[in-house]
Amino acid sequence: MDDLQKKYPFQCSLSLKPLIDYLDQHKEHLNTVMPCSTDTHKEILDKAPELYGPIDDLTLLDRHADLVKRLMGLVFPPVYWNIEAVAAAIPFSTESIFVSPRFKQLFLNKDGSFTGHLNLDKESFHKARVIRAYLLILDKCYGIHQQLDYPLIRTIKDPDTNLERHFRLKFDFSFVDARPVGDLKPLSSEERLYIMDHLTEPEILREILPPEDFILCGFTVIQAIDVTESQVLSGLERNLIDQDSIVSKEGFLRIQERLRTLFHRPKLVADLAAIQDDQILLINSGSQMTRCCIFADSHHIDISTSQGTVFEQAIKGEKIVRVHDVLKDPCLKEKKAELYQSGDRSLMIAPLIYKGQCIGILKLGSPEPGDFGPLDEMVMNHIQPIFSLAIKKALDDLDHQVQSVIKENCTAIHPTVEWRFRKAAFQHLENFRRGETLQMPSIVFKDVYPLYGISDIRGSTNERNRAIQKDLSEHLELALKALKLAHKARPILVLKELSSRVEQQIEQIEKGLGSGDELSVVKFISSEVESIFSHLRGFGPKVLRAIEKYESAIDPGLGSVYRFRKDFEESVSLLNNKLALYLDQEDAETQQIFPHYFERHRTDGIDYLIYMGTSLMEKGDFNDLYLENLRLWQIKVAAGIAWHTEQLKASLKVPLDTAHLILVQNAPLSIRFRFDEKRFDVDGAYDIRHEIIKSRLDKAVVKGGKERLTQPGKIAIVYSHPEEALEMRRHIDFLKAEGYLTGKLENLELESLPGVDGLRSLRIGVNLESQVLSQRIKQMAI
């Protein structure tokens, strides 16, 4: 008897009287279902009348073992005696008095103590027994009915397989009586309520109902129900919620032990793998492998390795595959070093599916051929979903790390090339954990086609300068008016001299705006004029009103008049926003036709850069048809931008025009991501020519004159080779027939640019009254 049993506060005794009373009370019913049952128990008790009373000496049971067994046969059906694990025990004690062979085999050591362990610690188990005794007292003595149904699970080692098995111990107290020592203490309504509020607090209950006031007698019936499957599944769910369980060696071995129990195979070996892009990541194995982490030492196998094997069948067919004997499968025999363990003879491979996509594999192996059958497949079907969720969480955690690396090294990445950055980031994490280079692997796309276009606000620099001139002139005029009124009120000579200096500033600004003029004017007014305004306010109401008008016209943030510049910048912003929205929507639609890298910038107008080609595609699927389609799209979109500009003019405070240019290049080039600048750039000396042309085209003029190539309402298409012109002519003819373009097609030769010779251009007008463009814009709801 352990210490807790000794400390148990209630007096408990073994007695068969509750059973005898039950038999007497249900005599008629028992004689119907079990003839002569009541007569039988009377015969038994007549032979051993000492069994009527409390049994303090347990040797009495041994002396009347046959009689006790016959009596207990009324409680435990003999048909199930050798099948079920049942027992009778002294109330609220761990001491059993009558056990079935199955119960004894599973739960009792040679000394009669229980084997295995409970799901409660000793203190919790002791407390639960005290609470259960109080519930019995409340039920039997006070008519207060409450249920305690906490599952008590005993885990043992199966004597045949040495694997864990779990049994729920179900206690039946039908044959236990609770009676008071002396007169029963009545309970007031307040005490009853107090007890109901503290049913799980034995120390409080004993204040009202002291344990020494009651005797518990009879015997408890115990039934052990096998709940191994449900406990293993519950345990697997708990393990798989914890990310470390699948990526740590110790955690995965615990999972494997549960799988061995679930499938009743002590030699089963489990392997778990995730599918990341075109690789199979062997995350963990229940065999003695060194790799153990999806983020560090996980072994990577190219998914093509599974080609032609049952692994491919499982991944692509998304169904469980069983292998009777791997030695009779030539594909597996050849690739066993990577796909499964050398000791495996039979396999069961389950694809782990999440939202219709195979994201991993759970493989069970056995050293015995033909060890997995259809019933095992049913069990596997049951556990697939929880392993799928575990793999999804592992991949999500990996993705968070990958995204963190991308954001740190690359900022925002276009979706079309994100796959390549993910690979690089994943490799970076692998290298980092192996203690290798901390630099991100190079990201280079070879043989891609560049497409460049720009829609520039014509004369934006001049318009901005004119707005600055007007604002500065107005600023000076307001200051000058206040000074003249002050001089008129009080003819102080220095005020006239200061007015003259302001007039000189006005004349200089009207002649033209030089570098630094804006700053020098604001500084002059601030230090020379505004500094005396506080004194000039007292020169009369006219001067005061002039100063107040001056101050109300000044933008507090800039310290200067900001009226014409505000109108210009609001107009540019409105135009830019509309054009950018239109371009983004057009690109989103064409991305659906064929994905491509797209990069847009906003300055005074908008420009964009497109790359497309086989190397940009994760699966390498590319056709020149999509390149031609994008070049046709470029011209159509440029026409749409020109049409938009024309329609917006009336709503702009400063009317603006846009000029449009497209650069065509048939020769592919290579691009490299510059991690220091966080952008793509051409890779190689030859390809740099494209970048030079892009940077200098805004200065291009038609050969033989000073006419700028780009003109409002027209699209200029710059090319270097005749075959490029042939393709663009074809696209222009089509769009002209469709109503996008109009006028005569110009074929122009361009003046040489610094470092660039031999450029030519096609130039065509945009149909600014095009109905097809009008209808297109309405459909896009811009």
Side-chain angles (χ1 to χ4, degrees), residues 123-232:
E123 290 290 344
S124 299
F125 179 59
H126 174 74
K127 180 180 178 181
R129 286 192 300 151
V130 174
I131 293 172
R132 189 65 190 81
Y134 270 117
L135 293 180
L136 183 70
I137 292 168
L138 292 171
D139 182 25
K140 299 283 187 179
C141 299
Y142 295 100
I144 298 174
H145 306 292
Q146 292 292 317
Q147 294 293 327
L148 176 63
D149 194 26
Y150 185 86
L152 191 64
I153 308 297
R154 182 165 286 276
T155 301
I156 64 165
K157 287 285 185 179
D158 189 289
D160 298 324
T161 65
N162 203 36
L163 295 173
E164 283 190 345
R165 292 183 66 183
H166 308 274
F167 291 85
R168 179 173 182 180
L169 301 181
K170 185 177 180 181
F171 295 89
D172 186 347
F173 297 95
S174 299
F175 305 114
V176 180
D177 281 338
R179 62 175 188 265
V181 176
D183 295 331
L184 180 67
K185 174 189 174 180
L187 293 177
S188 66
S189 57
E190 290 78 9
E191 287 176 320
R192 286 174 175 265
L193 288 174
Y194 189 73
I195 287 171
M196 294 297 289
D197 284 340
H198 298 85
L199 283 175
T200 60
E201 301 172 76
E203 295 303 318
I204 293 179
L205 295 179
R206 71 187 304 157
E207 295 175 4
I208 302 175
L209 301 172
E212 56 270 18
D213 288 353
F214 299 91
I215 297 176
L216 307 175
C217 58
F219 63 90
T220 304
V221 175
I222 306 173
Q223 182 182 11
I225 303 169
D226 193 335
V227 291
T228 299
E229 182 174 342
S230 62
Q231 284 296 112
V232 169

Side-chain angles (χ1 to χ4, degrees), residues 360-407:
I361 300 170
L362 174 62
K363 189 229 73 182
L364 303 183
S366 170
E368 302 295 330
D371 210 16
F372 296 107
L375 296 180
D376 299 303
E377 194 172 320
M378 290 180 65
V379 177
M380 180 68 94
N381 273 318
H382 198 59
I383 63 174
Q384 270 179 293
I386 56 177
F387 276 92
S388 296
L389 290 175
I391 286 291
K392 180 64 171 62
K393 187 175 185 300
L395 288 173
D396 284 346
D397 289 345
L398 174 60
D399 186 62
H400 291 327
Q401 288 205 32
V402 169
Q403 291 298 330
S404 177
V405 171
I406 291 175
K407 288 178 181 177

Side-chain angles (χ1 to χ4, degrees), residues 232-268:
V232 169
L233 291 174
S234 177
L236 278 175
E237 289 176 358
R238 291 194 302 272
N239 290 148
L240 293 172
I241 287 172
D242 179 9
Q243 181 62 49
D244 288 340
S245 293
I246 66 170
V247 298
S248 72
K249 191 67 180 178
E250 296 75 16
F252 194 74
L253 287 176
R254 287 195 297 269
I255 290 174
Q256 177 175 262
E257 198 62 28
R258 294 189 188 279
L259 291 173
R260 286 175 172 177
T261 300
L262 189 62
F263 286 93
H264 310 294
R265 285 174 178 78
K267 295 181 181 180
L268 177 147

Side-chain angles (χ1 to χ4, degrees), residues 265-276:
R265 285 174 178 78
K267 295 181 181 180
L268 177 147
V269 174
D271 288 279
L272 189 62
I275 297 176
Q276 172 77 8

Side-chain angles (χ1 to χ4, degrees), residues 635 639 712-715 728-729 731-747 762-770:
I635 305 173
K714 292 186 178 183
I715 303 171
M728 302 311 286
R729 282 178 183 273
H731 297 332
I732 289 170
D733 289 342
F734 169 74
L735 291 174
K736 194 172 181 181
E738 289 286 305
Y740 289 90
L741 306 176
T742 188
K744 181 182 177 181
L745 177 63
E746 301 175 85
N747 192 350
L762 299 174
R763 192 166 65 183
I764 186 69
V766 177
N767 183 1
L768 299 177
E769 298 179 357
S770 170

